[in-house]
Amino acid sequence: MRYTRTQAGKLYFSTTTVIVTEFVKMSTCLCIIFIQKGGNVKEYLNYLWHGIVTEARDTFKLAIPSGIYTIQNNLLFVAVSNLSAATFQVSYQLKILTTALFCVLLLGKRLVKMQWLALLLLFVGVAIVQIQPSDPTKAAQEKTSQSQSAYTGMVAVLVSCISSGFAGVYFEKILKGSSASLWLRNVQLGLFGVFFGLIGMWMKDGDDIMEKGFFFGYTKYVWTVIGLQAFGGLLVAVVVKYADNILKGFATSLSIIISTVVSVYLFGFTINLQFCVGAGLVLIAIFTYSQPQPKPAPLAETLPNGKQREVSKV
Ligand code: C5P
């Protein structure tokens, strides 16, 4: 993403890529549903009509996470354009903590102290891994590649952390609170996503797009960003369905470690002490979080002689 935003030459409108990404995800989900219905067009259309129009109340529930994700997906472009890739990645991991907070507030999930500590360790570990001493020539190139506003970038990434936590948990609540399929939910999400995306595009770049065209500045790298965003988005949906948002944070953190190790072989990255400390903290965090938690104290009743007697829970 950062590479495509910092190249010289024609710069594409990021607001259009948010819409195209939503469109790609929605089309993929429509195809999956079609295959699930055995290619039976009548059954397929009936299913969509029932799920989207007849159950309109449910459909409209998706407007909230969809609107928030649209803002977030646009803000991420602001963030990567104004911060270095590493600073962006580190600060965006704060979503691990905002997600846990919204899990407690919206889903009533209970986390014991050790689990909060594990989440904090996870954030610190990922941050340490990512704040690697940078190559001075590369850093200078990055700085001069475009005028950056660290303040704007930071605000964008912090708002994205809050929105990621809230929208992720809200989507989990909707998904797990009904029997509707994940793919149908994502079609509903995508419908609003395209709608809100068009409003955002019109407000921010409407005049310029009228002049230069919707696909102005699209290169193969821009299409790659769209592909990655679409695939990543659908992956988030699947992870939320089969696991949960907090585990998603752990999976992402582990993937950061794995990609760093892989870059030893691909890009000649040298593993240093800082990486080992950070990776160690992430592993400790995963281990601590997944430890079986102590059962709540057994209920007890006071006998006439003043002694306590344990009673079994009904
Ligand atoms: O960083 P975070 O995990 O919050 O990223 C969520 C991304 O996944 C967003 O780009 C959002 O549009 C996408 N998403 C999706 N379908 C879902 C949930 C999230 O496409 N059901």
Side-chain angles (χ1 to χ4, degrees):
M1 262 176 115
R2 183 171 164 77
Y3 177 78
T4 59
R5 293 312 283 169
T6 50
Q7 290 308 292
K10 295 182 196 169
L11 189 62
Y12 64 97
F13 300 105
S14 60
T15 49
T16 61
T17 60
V18 172
I19 299 167
V20 178
T21 305
E22 286 306 316
F23 188 77
V24 170
K25 285 188 288 191
M26 193 170 65
S27 312
T28 310
C29 294
L30 284 171
C31 288
I32 293 174
I33 297 175
F34 187 67
I35 294 167
Q36 283 180 338
K37 295 289 159 204
N40 183 329
V41 179
K42 196 168 167 232
E43 200 185 320
Y44 173 66
L45 292 178
N46 264 340
Y47 177 79
L48 289 181
W49 180 266
H50 178 79
I52 298 170
V53 182
T54 317
E55 304 280 337
R57 241 175 90 99
D58 274 2
T59 303
F60 275 100
K61 279 188 196 162
L62 271 297
I64 295 172
S66 175
I68 293 173
Y69 273 140
T70 308
I71 295 172
Q72 175 183 329
N73 290 337
N74 278 292
L75 280 180
L76 289 183
F77 279 98
V78 177
V80 290
S81 306
N82 287 290
L83 299 171
S84 73
T87 313
F88 164 73
Q89 284 280 38
V90 173
S91 35
Y92 197 34
Q93 298 314 316
L94 262 181
K95 67 182 177 177
I96 294 172
L97 299 179
T98 53
T99 301
L101 202 66
F102 284 114
C103 275
V104 172
L105 294 178
L106 297 182
L107 297 180
K109 201 176 169 83
R110 279 190 54 209
L111 294 180
V112 296
K113 270 192 208 135
M114 284 307 276
Q115 286 176 314
W116 283 111
L117 185 72
L119 291 169
L120 201 64
L121 276 185
L122 188 68
F123 170 64
V124 174
V126 174
I128 291 178
V129 166
Q130 283 177 342
I131 311 175
Q132 294 286 340
S134 55
D135 177 345
T137 47
K138 270 193 192 154
Q141 269 172 14
E142 277 223 323
K143 265 204 183 118
T144 50
S145 60
Q146 73 160 84
S147 57
Q148 298 178 6
S149 160
Y151 178 76
T152 310
M154 256 315 158
V155 172
V157 87
L158 290 180
V159 175
S160 298
C161 285
I162 298 172
S163 96
S164 168
F166 178 79
V169 173
Y170 193 95
F171 181 77
E172 186 177 339
K173 197 175 162 86
I174 294 177
L175 190 67
K176 292 182 176 166
S178 81
S179 57
S181 95
L182 169 71
W183 310 115
L184 179 68
R185 289 286 178 238
N186 259 55
V187 170
Q188 293 166 316
L189 203 63
L191 283 173
F192 286 109
V194 171
F195 175 69
F196 290 131
L198 283 170
I199 294 178
M201 180 194 81
W202 180 67
M203 279 166 49
K204 185 165 175 284
D205 301 316
D207 292 343
D208 289 337
I209 289 175
M210 289 296 273
E211 194 193 314
K212 295 178 176 165
F214 187 91
F215 292 107
F216 175 82
Y218 270 51
T219 60
K220 59 179 190 262
Y221 298 107
V222 178
W223 283 109
T224 307
V225 167
I226 291 173
L228 286 173
Q229 289 289 90
F231 181 66
L234 292 177
L235 213 53
V236 166
V238 175
V239 171
V240 167
K241 174 163 171 87
Y242 294 104
D244 64 39
N245 272 287
I246 295 187
L247 290 177
K248 173 166 80 69
F250 281 93
T252 315
S253 306
L254 207 57
S255 78
I256 290 168
I257 307 276
I258 293 170
S259 59
T260 313
V261 174
V262 171
S263 62
V264 171
Y265 299 97
L266 292 186
F267 309 114
F269 173 78
T270 39
I271 288 192
N272 52 17
L273 180 69
Q274 195 176 336
F275 174 82
C276 295
V277 172
L281 286 183
V282 169
L283 297 179
I284 294 173
I286 293 173
F287 181 74
T288 312
Y289 188 87
S290 55
Q291 281 305 294
Q293 301 310 319
K295 289 204 175 90
L299 296 176
E301 66 178 15
T302 309
L303 296 171
N305 61 8
K307 284 195 177 152
Q308 295 260 306
R309 186 175 73 120
E310 202 178 288
V311 292
S312 57
K313 238 174 159 185
V314 180

